Amino acid sequence: DAYRRLRAKLRDVTLVVTGARVGIVEPGVLATGRLDSGTWADCLSAATAVVVPGGLESLSLLALEAWASGRPCLVNGLSPVLAGQAQRSGGALLFDSAKSLAGAAITLIEDPGLADRLGSEGFRYVEANHRWDEIIAGLTGLIAAARART
């Protein structure tokens, strides 16, 4: 419904849907199936925005990947976890309905500067909070502390 609303306003827009179980058949929808990691990275980098529709996330790896690519997200604001991630990162717009998802997408398409700013904020958030070397160091410290207690 959100995509139909978006296409009603902006006819020349493509929705790229990835994954094994893509059942969307609409004009302007490109269903790719599974992608190799290089193609996936290229798609993320080229996106105007990445939609994170999940409502039951504990942490959105999709959002982190999008932000690591410098792209903004459109995040399901009905998920407290995703809404918190969006707020902390500054890299997303929230939606809570098909109408607000379409509106947020239109906003980013019509204002590429805003999309770039949100993507940059998300990138900074990932760099500051989710770098592998820091995660590994933190886990190594936790394991060492647990071993010291036993």
Side-chain angles (χ1 to χ4, degrees):
D1 188 42
Y3 184 66
R4 286 187 198 106
R5 289 172 182 267
L6 176 60
R7 289 266 303 181
K9 171 119 175 144
L10 303 172
R11 299 294 299 159
D12 188 30
V13 65
T14 302
L15 174 65
V16 179
V17 183
T18 64
R21 298 181 305 184
V22 176
I24 301 171
V25 179
E26 293 275 337
V29 174
L30 173 61
T32 66
R34 290 191 187 272
L35 300 173
D36 62 66
S37 60
T39 304
W40 173 250
D42 290 344
C43 285
L44 287 175
S45 295
T48 299
V50 175
V51 179
V52 184
L56 301 174
E57 303 277 349
S58 60
L59 171 72
S60 176
L61 296 179
L62 176 57
L64 294 176
E65 287 181 298
W67 292 328
S69 297
R71 301 315 309 146
C73 294
L74 300 173
V75 172
N76 184 343
L78 297 175
S79 164
V81 171
L82 292 179
Q85 230 181 326
Q87 181 182 19
R88 287 186 302 279
S89 71
L93 297 180
L94 301 177
F95 67 88
D96 61 5
S97 66
K99 182 178 180 180
S100 64
L101 174 54
I106 290 166
T107 296
L108 293 181
I109 291 167
E110 291 181 340
D111 189 348
L114 174 61
D116 289 343
R117 286 190 301 278
L118 291 173
S120 292
E121 288 298 316
F123 180 83
R124 281 192 280 283
Y125 172 75
V126 168
E127 282 292 301
N129 298 285
H130 295 281
R131 291 184 39 204
W132 276 115
D133 57 341
E134 292 179 12
I135 291 169
I136 291 169
L139 289 174
T140 302
L142 287 173
I143 291 169
R147 284 184 177 157
R149 289 187 191 132
T150 58

